Amino acid sequence: MTTGWRQRTGPIGVLTGAGISTDSGIPDFRGPRGVWTKDPIAELLSTYQNYVADPELRQQAWLARRDNPAWQAEPNDAHRALARLARARTVGIITQNIDRLHQRAGSPQESVVEIHGNMFDVVCIECDYTTTMAGALERVAAGEADPSCPGCGGILKAATIMFGQQMDAETVWAAREIALSSDIFLAIGSSLQVEPAASMCALAVEAGADLIVVNAEPTPYDPWATEVVRDPIGTAVPQLVDEILAG
Ligand code: NAD
């Protein structure tokens, strides 16, 4: 095992996926108890072209948003450990998660890049209209199964990046900046199968970072890693943070 990376003193990049939030009660997609592993049909709900084409799917999507366990979720020890790390070191977090738990744990807003958007805002796919998810869900509760844009009548959706949807270029750029400037790059709780998020690992390594993968299951980027940690994230991440801070 290589331990020398812990002594590196430069910026720390972090890429997080759904696995960091499973201890907060939010299931991941591809883990053994993942939403897609248990119900492959759920994957359809996350594909933009299906969402736009099928009003029934949109109605299901609004109910899934209403029932998302993330509304009740609290940050866990891993989110808090990364916030602690950010108080002592330069840390940039690229998160694939839409749950805002990094910010709620105390990671500075400006240090978190939400590469797949967030579930708390709603956007119109036709015009510039935006509103809060809470506001849109009030309309659903009042009987509108698929609320439309009050401005142009267009389709509303959560401010998340669905499969098949264009990513925001500035957001991808900000993520790349984090990866390219890192001495240490921690990839935590992601199956590393979704691009371009996963390729941030390669970018970081090619720019000279040590990649540390923390994930229960193998990932395609394990061969790129200086160290792979299979222990549960809730204990592994606080321990890694302690070790980095100890130098
Ligand atoms: P994924 O579901 O593909 O992979 C999660 C990985 O985390 C799995 O390999 C699993 O084995 C591992 N894992 C889960 N709990 C763990 C634990 N306690 N300890 C160690 N490992 C653990 O997740 P992904 O790579 O993030 O891709 C899923 C996509 O779905 C992302 O784009 C994300 O935006 C979205 N998503 C977000 C949330 C959220 O916001 N919390 C939840 C589900 C899905």
Side-chain angles (χ1 to χ4, degrees), residues 100-182:
R100 290 261 157 95
L101 292 180
H102 286 298
Q103 295 92 324
R104 286 183 52 207
S107 284
Q109 189 87 28
E110 62 279 6
S111 71
V112 182
V113 175
E114 293 173 317
I115 198 164
H116 292 161
N118 77 83
M119 56 173 272
F120 298 93
D121 299 319
V122 163
V123 295
C124 173
I125 66 165
E126 314 280 356
C127 72
D128 289 342
Y129 176 79
T130 61
T131 186
T132 59
M133 181 59 77
L137 288 177
E138 272 174 29
R139 291 175 61 188
V140 175
E144 290 183 72
D146 178 24
S148 59
C149 175
C152 74
I155 292 170
L156 295 181
K157 67 179 284 295
T160 56
I161 305 293
M162 298 175 116
F163 287 104
Q165 202 182 350
Q166 191 75 25
M167 295 191 65
D168 175 59
E170 268 182 41
T171 307
V172 176
W173 189 258
R176 284 173 57 92
E177 287 292 298
I178 290 174
L180 290 170
S181 63
S182 301

Side-chain angles (χ1 to χ4, degrees), residues 220-242:
Y221 287 90
D222 292 358
W224 294 69
T226 305
E227 196 167 318
V228 176
V229 179
R230 296 265 180 255
D231 299 329
I233 288 167
T235 49
V237 172
Q239 190 180 328
L240 280 175
V241 166
D242 285 345

Side-chain angles (χ1 to χ4, degrees), residues 16-23 26-32 96-99 116 163 189-194 214-217 230-234:
T16 62
I20 197 171
S21 295
T22 53
D23 280 352
I26 307 173
D28 59 18
F29 278 174
R30 298 185 189 80
Q96 299 174 82
N97 296 342
I98 58 173
D99 56 30
H116 292 161
F163 287 104
S190 175
S191 59
L192 298 177
Q193 289 178 33
V194 179
V214 187
N215 204 61
E217 296 175 295
R230 296 265 180 255
D231 299 329
I233 288 167

